[in-house]
Amino acid sequence: MFIELDKNSGVPVKKQLYDAITSKILKRELAKGERLPSTRELAGRLGIARNTVIEIYDQLTAEGYLEAYHGRGTFVAGEFDGAVPKDTLPEKRTGSSARRTRHRYRIDFTSGIPDLKSFPVKAWLRALKESIQEVAEDRLGYGSVLGYLPLRESLTRYLLRYKGISCSPEQVVIVNGTSDAMLLCALLFRQSVSDLMVESAVVSFVPDIFRMFGYNLIPLKIDQYGLCTKDLPPVEDGLIFCSPSHQFPLGGTLPIERRIQLTDYAEKYRNYIIENDYDSEFIYSGAQVNSLYQLTPGQVIHVGTFSKTLAPFLRLGYLVVPEELAPGVKEVQSLLYRRVNTHAQMALHHIFEEGIYVKHVAAMRKRYKKKMHCMVNALRDMFGDSIKIFGTNSGLHVAVVFPEPLFDAQSIRIFLKHKVSVDLLTDYTIHQQETCDTLILGFGNLEQNAIAEGARRLKEAVSELADMKGVSNWISTP
Amino acid sequence: MFIELDKNSGVPVKKQLYDAITSKILKRELAKGERLPSTRELAGRLGIARNTVIEIYDQLTAEGYLEAYHGRGTFVAGEFDGAVPKDTLPEKRTGSSARRTRHRYRIDFTSGIPDLKSFPVKAWLRALKESIQEVAEDRLGYGSVLGYLPLRESLTRYLLRYKGISCSPEQVVIVNGTSDAMLLCALLFRQSVSDLMVESAVVSFVPDIFRMFGYNLIPLKIDQYGLCTKDLPPVEDGLIFCSPSHQFPLGGTLPIERRIQLTDYAEKYRNYIIENDYDSEFIYSGAQVNSLYQLTPGQVIHVGTFSKTLAPFLRLGYLVVPEELAPGVKEVQSLLYRRVNTHAQMALHHIFEEGIYVKHVAAMRKRYKKKMHCMVNALRDMFGDSIKIFGTNSGLHVAVVFPEPLFDAQSIRIFLKHKVSVDLLTDYTIHQQETCDTLILGFGNLEQNAIAEGARRLKEAVSELADMKGVSNWISTP
């Protein structure tokens, strides 16, 4: 942790220290669960009194930024996201001592984490074991820059059957997750494309990565159904990033008329579409939606991930690229010598071939559907009809629109104080627009009792925020 | 495989097909072990007679470019690198039928592959199992952009003890191998640095990656001791890439006077040095050399890998960066959302903590030392004193200088014909210089009998090349 204090600035050292640490946590320079230096060490390094550091650590712990564990040190809060021990829940709201409150676990509604307890550890370990024993040891070398061929073959069969995507293994590249897929796209088009059109709210690594490579970003309007495809700007030879099966973070599924408008547009102006499909496996009613790739295979780069269907720690994702892009992709991968851990790829191939993958996804779809139901009910119990809930038909999060714009960066600390964390829509918008009325709430890794308790804490926090701004008349009291 | 034939060019279709496939293999667009389309499929796609394709596949198989396996298809040769079955070796040179010769395995002296049969499969599987069972399931999420903290801690202890590197876990980043470390460096300095000074012969992804990001490359002279540090050009605020513990590919270990010259130079001109240490674990006599990092920790980015000490398929490497660069590294990793498979990192941490890693490296050092001895003896047996052998004191390859410049890109097919593959020094030089007299021979993944047989085949191939140019008088006949 690198902190600089300016003792001549006139700002009290305590305030500087408080601001420095909270700013690092809010900007995520200090990650959840990261250990802070000991008070003795930090005081020594900064040349200030140890009591000053102790006081600030205590204050930040009380406010929920930090968590202190006796004998282990002080950590950025959030390490135990969602791992709510049964004996602390459901918590009696009356009679809980201050001490009890201070030490209860935070409930984490930040989005993007699937149910980690359901990861099929045994099946995965068996797949790791059997796959490494059944192959010739030359598989332990560097491997192909496109990924393990048998996996690309089994993935091709899966994509045809479950996503309607018809492609050859030469069009498939295995990568370290969706962010790595974006890096590959940014590298691939760095000389031929200058404009990236992108949904105006989007997972932050997409604008970050393309900006780093000098692309010009053009935000496109979205609504609760996803990308607004009428009146797209007349940009030629560009790239379009969108998530048609499940817009992130607003949650819409792009209707077929818009899909046709979008692909017609892309063809007319010679744009490639990056179709980000991060969780179309989890659609709860109606038929599986088709992929854009299926509509115009020559125009669409389809990006998928195993971070939601299995778990993020595996770092496994894939791209399907149009045939004409395949040689360029291979060239970039070869020049950069990019490859993915072959053992994980062999194991994934194994669980595909054994039918374990498809069964696991089906079981998780049922489980997540129940959690979604529980999430919506808990929010309705707390906020009645004063909120709008978007994106309830699929995936592991919802977007919740409140009647007042309460949620700016400063509001985070009120949520932390109430031992709950959330995502703000403003954090996902390209140009911060007037989106301070919307929270993004993920629940994939929370048990049902944690969701219910979390909704109660949300209401406490939202009530406090509304009180602070004097706009709490719409909140019902229990 | 994308092949275009021009039926109006006047060049016979057969020749076009032959040229297209061999060119793809030599340029490595077709990777070792890659499956070719069936003759039926390729003939259909190209609109030519199937017999033409069969004829070319047969010819390429006879010449050693391809390998055909009944019922499995035709593959780019080299898939079974070094996995020489015992019953075919040592091969009687008299009496072997043409058929036998055609189907014998290629012996692969290309560099960079460690002994894959020695990878500790059982210990690794146990580490994967125990590490995933002993951690809280939150480890199955995305994890830290710097890598699994307990691994960074155990690595820090290892580096202090075995490489004399003193650093904190905040200065360590786990990456997907050395090429990924180079990508990170190229990203990190993309705005502050324009010049990369680099040893004039170097592993090819280094110039490829930095060129892709627009760096200006300045080749630096090397000799058998490594980088020539006298008279370095007066480049300010640049980067220097070098491999002081074991120059790749020439094999030298940088003497202490040159190390001091180099670090003095770097400090004077404010250059960061990228110290590529890919195999200093395998030094066969004398003391372990120190790292450059140790000399000027503020100036050196130390890059290490587990591809040689364990195996490449794991995709595990690391950087140690100067303290002042740590925040920038973390920022780039965060913006790009770059992370490494946590399971492999947990397992690696486990085998560090159990003492397995250090024992494995010690055992492999003994094994490679024997192989090195065998390699040098086999070369001397074949070529006597007419060759110079560089880099015999460490690592898994040697550089062999012959009295004639026989080895240009065209010579590869003569080696393939004799069922042996090699690396050419010219393929590693930044500006192809007059380095056609030197072969780079890796032996890490070859058994001793394969090394001896391979040296015999090398002599056959070199004799044929020398005969073709009429300069074979220096080659003794047995």
Side-chain angles (χ1 to χ4, degrees):
Chain A
M1 191 170 72
F2 295 85
I3 289 180
E4 274 188 321
L5 302 181
D6 179 358
K7 288 177 191 165
N8 301 320
S9 68
V11 181
V13 165
K14 255 184 222 172
K15 167 126 182 55
Q16 288 187 49
L17 185 58
Y18 177 94
D19 289 348
I21 298 177
T22 52
S23 142
K24 277 173 196 292
I25 292 173
L26 294 175
K27 288 196 222 149
R28 300 195 185 183
E29 287 173 28
L30 280 171
K32 290 175 192 174
E34 198 164 325
R35 189 207 305 252
L36 270 71
S38 71
T39 52
R40 186 185 306 273
E41 187 196 335
L42 188 59
R45 212 197 291 162
L46 298 174
I48 60 178
R50 187 171 166 212
N51 273 340
T52 308
V53 182
I54 292 174
E55 195 179 321
I56 293 300
Y57 274 25
D58 278 351
Q59 183 182 345
L60 291 168
T61 305
E63 290 181 6
Y65 286 99
L66 303 179
E67 281 167 2
Y69 294 94
H70 186 70
R72 286 182 56 205
T74 303
F75 300 80
V76 178
E79 173 73 339
F80 301 96
D81 298 350
V84 186
K86 282 201 181 108
D87 61 346
T88 70
L89 280 175
E91 195 167 347
K92 296 275 184 295
R93 294 178 68 210
T94 52
S96 64
S97 70
R99 187 175 168 71
R100 175 76 172 277
T101 306
R102 185 181 293 189
H103 288 280
R104 62 184 181 170
Y105 289 108
R106 175 119 55 87
I107 292 175
D108 188 355
F109 283 116
T110 56
S111 59
I113 308 293
D115 190 332
L116 300 177
K117 278 193 270 309
S118 297
F119 177 74
V121 171
K122 276 189 188 164
W124 186 254
L125 285 171
R126 202 166 49 239
L128 284 166
K129 185 175 176 182
E130 291 179 8
S131 62
I132 205 173
Q133 283 168 347
E134 74 202 13
V135 299
E137 89 268 345
D138 63 291
R139 294 296 184 202
L140 310 187
Y142 283 91
S144 159
V145 292
L146 296 183
Y148 184 56
L149 179 59
L151 171 62
R152 287 187 281 130
E153 288 170 343
S154 54
L155 183 57
T156 304
R157 290 189 289 274
Y158 171 84
L159 288 173
L160 183 59
R161 182 146 178 204
Y162 291 93
K163 292 192 182 183
I165 288 175
S166 169
C167 64
S168 79
E170 282 77 42
Q171 293 170 260
V172 176
V173 199
I174 308 294
V175 291
N176 285 301
T178 302
S179 53
D180 196 43
M182 290 307 111
L183 177 59
L184 177 55
C185 289
L187 285 162
L188 183 65
F189 294 105
R190 75 199 181 287
Q191 287 172 329
S192 57
V193 169
S194 51
D195 294 310
L196 175 75
M197 288 169 273
V198 57
E199 295 158 322
S200 63
V202 67
V203 60
S204 55
F205 60 72
V206 174
D208 286 343
I209 291 173
F210 281 91
R211 270 196 198 115
M212 190 174 288
F213 284 85
Y215 288 80
N216 173 42
L217 261 60
I218 303 173
L220 301 178
K221 216 185 132 192
I222 54 171
D223 62 18
Q224 67 184 100
Y225 303 105
L227 188 64
C228 300
T229 51
K230 252 176 114 174
D231 308 319
L232 289 170
V235 175
E236 296 190 333
D237 301 307
L239 281 173
I240 305 171
F241 177 92
C242 67
S243 319
S245 59
H246 189 206
Q247 207 282 330
F248 187 88
L250 277 193
T253 299
L254 204 66
I256 183 68
E257 313 83 63
R258 293 198 189 183
R259 286 170 187 255
I260 291 166
Q261 260 173 353
L262 177 60
T263 51
D264 283 353
Y265 166 83
E267 279 189 275
K268 182 172 169 195
Y269 289 100
R270 298 179 309 279
N271 291 306
Y272 284 110
I273 301 171
I274 301 174
E275 176 181 30
N276 179 35
D277 176 3
Y278 59 101
D279 70 356
S280 73
E281 293 82 359
F282 302 127
I283 287 187
Y284 305 127
S285 65
Q288 180 80 5
V289 285
N290 289 336
S291 62
L292 281 184
Y293 184 93
Q294 213 176 349
L295 285 178
T296 46
Q299 221 70 34
V300 174
I301 297 165
H302 182 89
V303 179
T305 178
F306 298 98
S307 291
K308 313 299 180 214
T309 54
L310 289 169
F313 82 119
L314 300 174
R315 302 285 70 219
L316 285 172
Y318 58 92
L319 296 93
V320 180
V321 303
E323 250 183 60
E324 67 168 358
L325 292 181
V329 165
K330 195 164 181 181
E331 193 191 341
V332 169
Q333 292 286 97
S334 302
L335 281 175
L336 276 78
Y337 224 73
R338 279 162 50 87
R339 286 162 170 86
V340 172
N341 179 305
T342 314
H343 200 183
Q345 295 187 71
M346 295 191 300
L348 181 56
H349 168 62
H350 195 272
I351 73 164
F352 262 118
E353 292 301 294
E354 301 279 313
I356 296 168
Y357 183 75
V358 167
K359 268 188 212 157
H360 176 71
V361 169
M364 293 312 294
R365 188 183 299 119
K366 277 189 198 160
R367 186 163 308 176
Y368 289 135
K369 187 175 180 177
K370 272 189 200 153
K371 290 189 182 195
M372 173 65 88
H373 190 70
C374 171
M375 183 81 217
V376 172
N377 285 348
L379 288 169
R380 289 283 172 228
D381 282 352
M382 290 299 123
F383 300 103
D385 290 332
S386 54
I387 53 170
K388 280 181 273 189
I389 310 178
F390 291 162
T392 57
N393 191 35
S394 70
L396 316 180
H397 76 271
V398 289
V400 186
V401 186
F402 288 80
E404 299 288 343
L406 301 170
F407 313 119
D408 53 23
Q410 298 307 312
S411 65
I412 288 285
R413 54 184 294 255
I414 304 297
F415 287 105
L416 292 178
K417 183 178 136 189
H418 290 277
K419 288 282 183 187
V420 62
S421 38
V422 301
D423 278 343
L424 309 181
L425 178 56
T426 51
D427 286 341
Y428 292 111
T429 49
I430 302 268
H431 301 305
Q432 315 261 297
Q433 295 160 323
E434 288 157 0
T435 50
C436 289
D437 57 355
T438 305
L439 294 181
I440 308 300
L441 303 175
F443 53 80
N445 197 30
L446 294 175
E447 296 306 316
Q448 301 200 10
N449 54 0
I451 292 174
E453 167 63 14
R456 276 190 286 277
R457 297 185 193 176
L458 280 178
K459 184 168 180 187
E460 290 172 6
V462 171
S463 300
E464 183 168 340
L465 284 165
D467 280 342
M468 285 162 66
K469 305 211 174 183
V471 291
S472 58
N473 56 322
W474 58 275
I475 299 179
S476 61
T477 42
Chain B
M1 191 170 71
F2 295 86
I3 288 181
E4 273 187 322
L5 301 182
D6 180 356
K7 287 178 192 164
N8 302 320
S9 68
V11 181
V13 165
K14 254 184 224 173
K15 167 128 181 55
Q16 288 187 48
L17 186 58
Y18 177 93
D19 289 347
I21 298 176
T22 52
S23 143
K24 276 174 198 292
I25 292 173
L26 294 176
K27 288 196 222 148
R28 302 198 182 179
E29 286 173 29
L30 280 171
K32 290 175 194 175
E34 198 163 325
R35 188 206 306 254
L36 270 71
S38 70
T39 52
R40 187 185 305 274
E41 188 196 333
L42 188 59
R45 213 199 288 163
L46 297 174
I48 59 178
R50 188 172 165 212
N51 273 341
T52 308
V53 181
I54 291 175
E55 195 180 318
I56 294 300
Y57 275 26
D58 277 352
Q59 183 182 345
L60 291 168
T61 305
E63 291 182 5
Y65 285 99
L66 302 180
E67 281 168 3
Y69 294 94
H70 187 70
R72 287 182 57 203
T74 303
F75 300 80
V76 178
E79 172 73 342
F80 300 97
D81 298 351
V84 186
K86 282 201 181 110
D87 60 345
T88 68
L89 278 174
E91 196 167 347
K92 297 272 187 294
R93 294 178 69 210
T94 52
S96 64
S97 70
R99 185 173 169 73
R100 175 75 174 278
T101 305
R102 184 181 294 189
H103 287 280
R104 63 184 183 171
Y105 290 105
R106 174 118 56 87
I107 292 176
D108 188 354
F109 282 116
T110 57
S111 60
I113 308 292
D115 190 333
L116 301 177
K117 277 193 271 308
S118 297
F119 177 73
V121 171
K122 275 189 189 165
W124 187 254
L125 285 171
R126 201 166 51 239
L128 284 167
K129 184 173 176 185
E130 290 179 8
S131 63
I132 203 171
Q133 283 169 347
E134 74 202 12
V135 299
E137 89 269 346
D138 64 291
R139 294 297 185 201
L140 310 187
Y142 283 90
S144 160
V145 292
L146 296 184
Y148 184 56
L149 179 58
L151 171 62
R152 287 187 282 131
E153 288 169 344
S154 53
L155 184 56
T156 305
R157 289 188 290 274
Y158 172 84
L159 289 173
L160 183 59
R161 183 147 177 203
Y162 291 93
K163 291 194 184 182
I165 288 176
S166 168
C167 63
S168 79
E170 283 75 41
Q171 292 170 258
V172 176
V173 200
I174 308 295
V175 291
N176 286 300
T178 302
S179 53
D180 197 43
M182 290 307 112
L183 177 60
L184 176 55
C185 289
L187 285 162
L188 183 64
F189 293 104
R190 73 199 182 288
Q191 287 173 328
S192 56
V193 170
S194 52
D195 295 309
L196 175 74
M197 288 168 273
V198 57
E199 293 158 322
S200 63
V202 66
V203 59
S204 54
F205 60 71
V206 174
D208 286 344
I209 291 173
F210 281 90
R211 270 196 197 115
M212 190 174 287
F213 284 84
Y215 288 80
N216 173 42
L217 261 59
I218 302 172
L220 301 179
K221 214 183 135 195
I222 54 171
D223 62 18
Q224 67 184 100
Y225 303 105
L227 188 64
C228 300
T229 51
K230 251 176 115 174
D231 308 320
L232 289 169
V235 175
E236 296 190 332
D237 300 306
L239 280 173
I240 305 170
F241 177 93
C242 66
S243 319
S245 60
H246 189 206
Q247 207 282 331
F248 186 88
L250 276 193
T253 299
L254 204 64
I256 183 67
E257 313 83 64
R258 292 199 189 183
R259 287 170 186 253
I260 291 167
Q261 260 173 352
L262 176 61
T263 51
D264 282 353
Y265 166 84
E267 278 189 276
K268 181 172 170 196
Y269 289 101
R270 298 179 309 277
N271 290 305
Y272 284 110
I273 300 172
I274 301 174
E275 176 181 30
N276 180 35
D277 176 3
Y278 60 101
D279 71 356
S280 72
E281 293 82 358
F282 302 127
I283 288 188
Y284 305 128
S285 65
Q288 179 80 4
V289 285
N290 289 336
S291 61
L292 280 185
Y293 184 93
Q294 212 175 352
L295 285 179
T296 46
Q299 222 70 35
V300 174
I301 298 165
H302 182 88
V303 179
T305 178
F306 298 97
S307 292
K308 312 300 180 214
T309 54
L310 289 170
F313 82 118
L314 300 173
R315 302 284 70 217
L316 286 172
Y318 58 92
L319 296 93
V320 181
V321 303
E323 249 183 61
E324 68 168 359
L325 292 181
V329 165
K330 194 163 181 180
E331 194 191 340
V332 169
Q333 291 287 93
S334 302
L335 281 175
L336 277 78
Y337 224 73
R338 279 161 50 87
R339 285 162 171 87
V340 171
N341 180 307
T342 313
H343 200 182
Q345 294 186 72
M346 295 191 300
L348 181 56
H349 168 62
H350 195 272
I351 72 165
F352 262 118
E353 292 301 294
E354 302 279 313
I356 297 168
Y357 182 76
V358 168
K359 268 187 213 157
H360 176 70
V361 168
M364 294 311 295
R365 188 183 300 119
K366 276 189 199 160
R367 185 163 309 174
Y368 290 134
K369 188 176 179 176
K370 272 190 202 152
K371 290 189 182 195
M372 174 64 89
H373 190 69
C374 171
M375 182 81 218
V376 171
N377 285 348
L379 288 169
R380 288 281 172 230
D381 283 352
M382 290 299 125
F383 300 103
D385 290 333
S386 55
I387 53 170
K388 279 180 273 187
I389 309 178
F390 291 163
T392 58
N393 191 36
S394 70
L396 317 181
H397 75 271
V398 289
V400 186
V401 186
F402 288 79
E404 299 289 342
L406 300 170
F407 314 118
D408 53 23
Q410 299 306 314
S411 64
I412 288 285
R413 52 185 294 258
I414 302 298
F415 287 104
L416 292 179
K417 185 179 135 190
H418 289 279
K419 288 284 184 184
V420 62
S421 38
V422 300
D423 278 344
L424 308 182
L425 178 57
T426 50
D427 286 341
Y428 292 111
T429 48
I430 302 269
H431 300 306
Q432 316 258 298
Q433 295 160 322
E434 288 158 359
T435 50
C436 289
D437 57 354
T438 305
L439 293 181
I440 307 302
L441 302 176
F443 52 81
N445 197 30
L446 294 175
E447 296 306 316
Q448 301 199 12
N449 52 1
I451 292 174
E453 168 63 15
R456 275 189 287 276
R457 297 186 193 176
L458 279 178
K459 185 169 180 186
E460 288 172 8
V462 170
S463 300
E464 183 167 341
L465 284 164
D467 280 341
M468 286 162 65
K469 305 209 175 184
V471 291
S472 58
N473 57 322
W474 57 276
I475 299 180
S476 61
T477 41

